[in-house]
mmCIF file of all heavy atoms in Angstrom:
data_model
loop_
_atom_site.group_PDB
_atom_site.id
_atom_site.type_symbol
_atom_site.label_atom_id
_atom_site.label_comp_id
_atom_site.label_asym_id
_atom_site.label_seq_id
_atom_site.Cartn_x
_atom_site.Cartn_y
_atom_site.Cartn_z
ATOM 1 N N GLY Y 22 188.662 122.215 180.486
ATOM 2 C CA GLY Y 22 188.405 123.389 179.767
ATOM 3 C C GLY Y 22 189.580 123.736 178.939
ATOM 4 O O GLY Y 22 190.588 123.089 178.953
ATOM 5 N N ALA Y 23 189.480 124.944 178.274
ATOM 6 C CA ALA Y 23 190.535 125.372 177.433
ATOM 7 C C ALA Y 23 191.966 125.367 177.905
ATOM 8 O O ALA Y 23 192.957 125.152 177.259
ATOM 9 C CB ALA Y 23 190.216 126.652 176.849
ATOM 10 N N GLY Y 24 192.060 125.554 179.238
ATOM 11 C CA GLY Y 24 193.376 125.640 179.917
ATOM 12 C C GLY Y 24 194.191 124.338 179.785
ATOM 13 O O GLY Y 24 195.424 124.351 179.739
ATOM 14 N N GLU Y 28 198.763 124.366 176.850
ATOM 15 C CA GLU Y 28 200.181 124.049 176.723
ATOM 16 C C GLU Y 28 200.455 123.288 175.362
ATOM 17 O O GLU Y 28 201.607 123.049 175.081
ATOM 18 C CB GLU Y 28 200.629 123.142 177.925
ATOM 19 C CG GLU Y 28 200.741 124.016 179.172
ATOM 20 C CD GLU Y 28 200.670 123.141 180.482
ATOM 21 O OE1 GLU Y 28 201.712 122.375 180.651
ATOM 22 O OE2 GLU Y 28 199.746 123.114 181.176
ATOM 23 N N THR Y 33 193.251 130.019 174.765
ATOM 24 C CA THR Y 33 192.056 129.914 175.663
ATOM 25 C C THR Y 33 191.032 130.933 175.181
ATOM 26 O O THR Y 33 191.316 131.744 174.209
ATOM 27 C CB THR Y 33 192.391 130.044 177.121
ATOM 28 O OG1 THR Y 33 192.974 131.314 177.329
ATOM 29 C CG2 THR Y 33 193.359 128.943 177.609
ATOM 30 N N PHE Y 34 189.945 131.063 175.919
ATOM 31 C CA PHE Y 34 188.830 132.048 175.470
ATOM 32 C C PHE Y 34 188.964 133.311 176.338
ATOM 33 O O PHE Y 34 188.775 134.361 175.728
ATOM 34 C CB PHE Y 34 187.455 131.436 175.746
ATOM 35 C CG PHE Y 34 187.190 130.343 174.798
ATOM 36 C CD1 PHE Y 34 187.532 128.998 175.178
ATOM 37 C CD2 PHE Y 34 186.759 130.513 173.561
ATOM 38 C CE1 PHE Y 34 187.287 127.965 174.284
ATOM 39 C CE2 PHE Y 34 186.568 129.501 172.612
ATOM 40 C CZ PHE Y 34 186.807 128.231 172.961
ATOM 41 N N ARG Y 35 189.317 133.195 177.602
ATOM 42 C CA ARG Y 35 189.203 134.430 178.444
ATOM 43 C C ARG Y 35 190.545 134.889 179.042
ATOM 44 O O ARG Y 35 190.584 135.791 179.780
ATOM 45 C CB ARG Y 35 188.186 134.120 179.608
ATOM 46 C CG ARG Y 35 186.792 133.949 179.159
ATOM 47 C CD ARG Y 35 185.812 133.587 180.154
ATOM 48 N NE ARG Y 35 184.512 133.350 179.429
ATOM 49 C CZ ARG Y 35 184.130 132.331 178.700
ATOM 50 N NH1 ARG Y 35 185.067 131.294 178.666
ATOM 51 N NH2 ARG Y 35 183.072 132.230 178.079
ATOM 52 N N TRP Y 41 188.082 135.379 172.945
ATOM 53 C CA TRP Y 41 186.965 136.307 173.157
ATOM 54 C C TRP Y 41 187.483 137.778 173.413
ATOM 55 O O TRP Y 41 186.653 138.661 173.575
ATOM 56 C CB TRP Y 41 185.915 135.890 174.166
ATOM 57 C CG TRP Y 41 185.207 134.591 173.989
ATOM 58 C CD1 TRP Y 41 184.749 133.772 174.910
ATOM 59 C CD2 TRP Y 41 184.918 133.931 172.657
ATOM 60 N NE1 TRP Y 41 184.114 132.645 174.328
ATOM 61 C CE2 TRP Y 41 184.212 132.784 172.963
ATOM 62 C CE3 TRP Y 41 185.111 134.308 171.309
ATOM 63 C CZ2 TRP Y 41 183.763 131.934 171.993
ATOM 64 C CZ3 TRP Y 41 184.657 133.371 170.331
ATOM 65 C CH2 TRP Y 41 183.949 132.279 170.608
ATOM 66 N N GLN Y 100 184.925 120.623 177.752
ATOM 67 C CA GLN Y 100 184.280 121.766 177.033
ATOM 68 C C GLN Y 100 185.064 122.027 175.778
ATOM 69 O O GLN Y 100 184.551 122.858 175.019
ATOM 70 C CB GLN Y 100 184.298 123.006 177.921
ATOM 71 C CG GLN Y 100 183.471 122.877 179.200
ATOM 72 C CD GLN Y 100 183.823 123.992 180.209
ATOM 73 O OE1 GLN Y 100 183.147 125.044 180.157
ATOM 74 N NE2 GLN Y 100 184.770 123.773 181.030
ATOM 75 N N HIS Y 118 180.647 120.357 174.231
ATOM 76 C CA HIS Y 118 180.470 121.514 173.200
ATOM 77 C C HIS Y 118 180.762 120.966 171.805
ATOM 78 O O HIS Y 118 180.990 121.866 170.889
ATOM 79 C CB HIS Y 118 181.342 122.669 173.550
ATOM 80 C CG HIS Y 118 180.988 123.401 174.864
ATOM 81 N ND1 HIS Y 118 181.811 124.238 175.537
ATOM 82 C CD2 HIS Y 118 179.788 123.291 175.557
ATOM 83 C CE1 HIS Y 118 181.141 124.715 176.624
ATOM 84 N NE2 HIS Y 118 180.001 124.074 176.678
ATOM 85 N N VAL Y 158 178.869 123.476 169.571
ATOM 86 C CA VAL Y 158 177.688 124.186 170.137
ATOM 87 C C VAL Y 158 177.965 125.652 170.054
ATOM 88 O O VAL Y 158 178.994 126.187 170.401
ATOM 89 C CB VAL Y 158 177.560 123.776 171.632
ATOM 90 C CG1 VAL Y 158 176.470 124.656 172.251
ATOM 91 C CG2 VAL Y 158 177.274 122.277 171.743
ATOM 92 N N GLY Y 186 191.655 123.461 184.273
ATOM 93 C CA GLY Y 186 191.837 124.453 183.200
ATOM 94 C C GLY Y 186 190.525 124.996 182.703
ATOM 95 O O GLY Y 186 190.423 125.258 181.524
ATOM 96 N N THR Y 187 189.619 125.200 183.559
ATOM 97 C CA THR Y 187 188.353 125.908 183.145
ATOM 98 C C THR Y 187 188.168 127.134 184.037
ATOM 99 O O THR Y 187 188.387 127.010 185.328
ATOM 100 C CB THR Y 187 187.194 124.988 183.026
ATOM 101 O OG1 THR Y 187 186.005 125.800 182.786
ATOM 102 C CG2 THR Y 187 186.910 124.186 184.377
ATOM 103 N N SER Y 188 187.661 128.275 183.436
ATOM 104 C CA SER Y 188 187.343 129.405 184.287
ATOM 105 C C SER Y 188 186.077 129.235 185.052
ATOM 106 O O SER Y 188 185.777 130.044 185.917
ATOM 107 C CB SER Y 188 187.231 130.649 183.341
ATOM 108 O OG SER Y 188 186.274 130.351 182.327
ATOM 109 N N VAL Y 191 181.117 129.198 182.571
ATOM 110 C CA VAL Y 191 180.121 128.923 181.527
ATOM 111 C C VAL Y 191 179.225 127.716 181.909
ATOM 112 O O VAL Y 191 179.676 126.617 182.135
ATOM 113 C CB VAL Y 191 180.816 128.625 180.153
ATOM 114 C CG1 VAL Y 191 179.837 128.184 179.121
ATOM 115 C CG2 VAL Y 191 181.620 129.903 179.726
ATOM 116 N N ASN Y 212 194.372 124.885 188.174
ATOM 117 C CA ASN Y 212 194.160 126.055 187.298
ATOM 118 C C ASN Y 212 195.316 126.987 187.543
ATOM 119 O O ASN Y 212 195.916 127.003 188.678
ATOM 120 C CB ASN Y 212 192.909 126.869 187.657
ATOM 121 C CG ASN Y 212 192.457 127.722 186.467
ATOM 122 O OD1 ASN Y 212 193.122 128.655 186.052
ATOM 123 N ND2 ASN Y 212 191.218 127.463 185.946
ATOM 124 N N LEU Y 213 195.607 127.845 186.574
ATOM 125 C CA LEU Y 213 196.720 128.872 186.773
ATOM 126 C C LEU Y 213 196.354 129.907 187.809
ATOM 127 O O LEU Y 213 197.217 130.371 188.473
ATOM 128 C CB LEU Y 213 196.977 129.638 185.422
ATOM 129 C CG LEU Y 213 197.723 128.960 184.338
ATOM 130 C CD1 LEU Y 213 197.824 129.930 183.188
ATOM 131 C CD2 LEU Y 213 199.060 128.462 184.763
ATOM 132 N N GLU Y 214 195.142 130.111 187.918
ATOM 133 C CA GLU Y 214 194.618 131.171 188.880
ATOM 134 C C GLU Y 214 193.381 130.803 189.552
ATOM 135 O O GLU Y 214 192.594 129.894 189.094
ATOM 136 C CB GLU Y 214 194.417 132.478 188.080
ATOM 137 C CG GLU Y 214 193.570 132.264 186.885
ATOM 138 C CD GLU Y 214 193.604 133.401 185.872
ATOM 139 O OE1 GLU Y 214 194.761 133.984 185.648
ATOM 140 O OE2 GLU Y 214 192.539 133.783 185.323
ATOM 141 N N LYS Y 229 200.414 125.031 186.103
ATOM 142 C CA LYS Y 229 200.039 124.467 184.754
ATOM 143 C C LYS Y 229 199.603 123.005 184.967
ATOM 144 O O LYS Y 229 200.282 122.221 185.639
ATOM 145 C CB LYS Y 229 201.326 124.467 183.828
ATOM 146 C CG LYS Y 229 201.718 125.833 183.328
ATOM 147 C CD LYS Y 229 202.830 125.718 182.396
ATOM 148 C CE LYS Y 229 203.234 127.073 181.891
ATOM 149 N NZ LYS Y 229 204.508 127.009 181.053
ATOM 150 N N ALA Y 230 198.499 122.661 184.251
ATOM 151 C CA ALA Y 230 198.033 121.302 184.393
ATOM 152 C C ALA Y 230 199.067 120.244 183.911
ATOM 153 O O ALA Y 230 199.114 119.212 184.518
ATOM 154 C CB ALA Y 230 196.755 121.178 183.512
HETATM 155 P P1 OAD Q 1 188.435 129.877 179.478
HETATM 156 O O1 OAD Q 1 189.287 130.503 178.428
HETATM 157 O O2 OAD Q 1 187.315 130.640 179.963
HETATM 158 O O3 OAD Q 1 189.385 129.515 180.775
HETATM 159 C C1 OAD Q 1 190.510 128.808 180.710
HETATM 160 C C2 OAD Q 1 191.054 128.628 182.051
HETATM 161 O O4 OAD Q 1 192.247 127.850 181.953
HETATM 162 C C3 OAD Q 1 191.392 129.877 182.787
HETATM 163 O O5 OAD Q 1 190.801 129.857 184.166
HETATM 164 C C4 OAD Q 1 192.958 129.832 182.967
HETATM 165 O O6 OAD Q 1 193.418 130.371 184.194
HETATM 166 C C5 OAD Q 1 193.178 128.317 182.874
HETATM 167 N N1 OAD Q 1 194.506 128.001 182.333
HETATM 168 C C6 OAD Q 1 195.173 128.551 181.263
HETATM 169 N N2 OAD Q 1 196.296 127.789 180.958
HETATM 170 C C7 OAD Q 1 196.354 126.738 181.883
HETATM 171 C C8 OAD Q 1 197.256 125.763 182.132
HETATM 172 N N3 OAD Q 1 198.305 125.583 181.339
HETATM 173 N N4 OAD Q 1 196.935 124.902 183.160
HETATM 174 C C9 OAD Q 1 195.872 125.006 183.976
HETATM 175 N N5 OAD Q 1 194.927 125.988 183.748
HETATM 176 C C10 OAD Q 1 195.133 126.888 182.716
HETATM 177 O O7 OAD Q 1 188.014 128.473 178.912
HETATM 178 P P2 OAD Q 1 186.840 127.556 179.348
HETATM 179 O O8 OAD Q 1 186.586 127.592 180.800
HETATM 180 O O9 OAD Q 1 187.114 126.194 178.707
HETATM 181 O O10 OAD Q 1 182.333 127.615 174.866
HETATM 182 O O11 OAD Q 1 185.646 128.217 178.582
HETATM 183 C C11 OAD Q 1 184.306 127.551 178.614
HETATM 184 C C12 OAD Q 1 183.634 127.873 177.273
HETATM 185 O O12 OAD Q 1 183.641 129.237 177.029
HETATM 186 C C13 OAD Q 1 184.308 127.275 176.056
HETATM 187 O O13 OAD Q 1 184.056 125.853 175.896
HETATM 188 C C14 OAD Q 1 183.638 128.035 174.955
HETATM 189 C C15 OAD Q 1 183.792 129.424 175.596
HETATM 190 O O14 OAD Q 1 182.769 130.333 175.230
HETATM 191 C C16 OAD Q 1 181.779 127.567 173.575
HETATM 192 O O15 OAD Q 1 182.324 127.838 172.635
HETATM 193 C C17 OAD Q 1 180.304 126.990 173.611
#
Side-chain angles (χ1 to χ4, degrees):
E28 289 161 69
T33 61
F34 292 94
R35 294 174 184 77
W41 299 153
Q100 297 166 89
H118 293 164
V158 174
T187 174
S188 54
V191 175
N212 199 302
L213 281 185
E214 53 195 37
K229 290 183 176 174

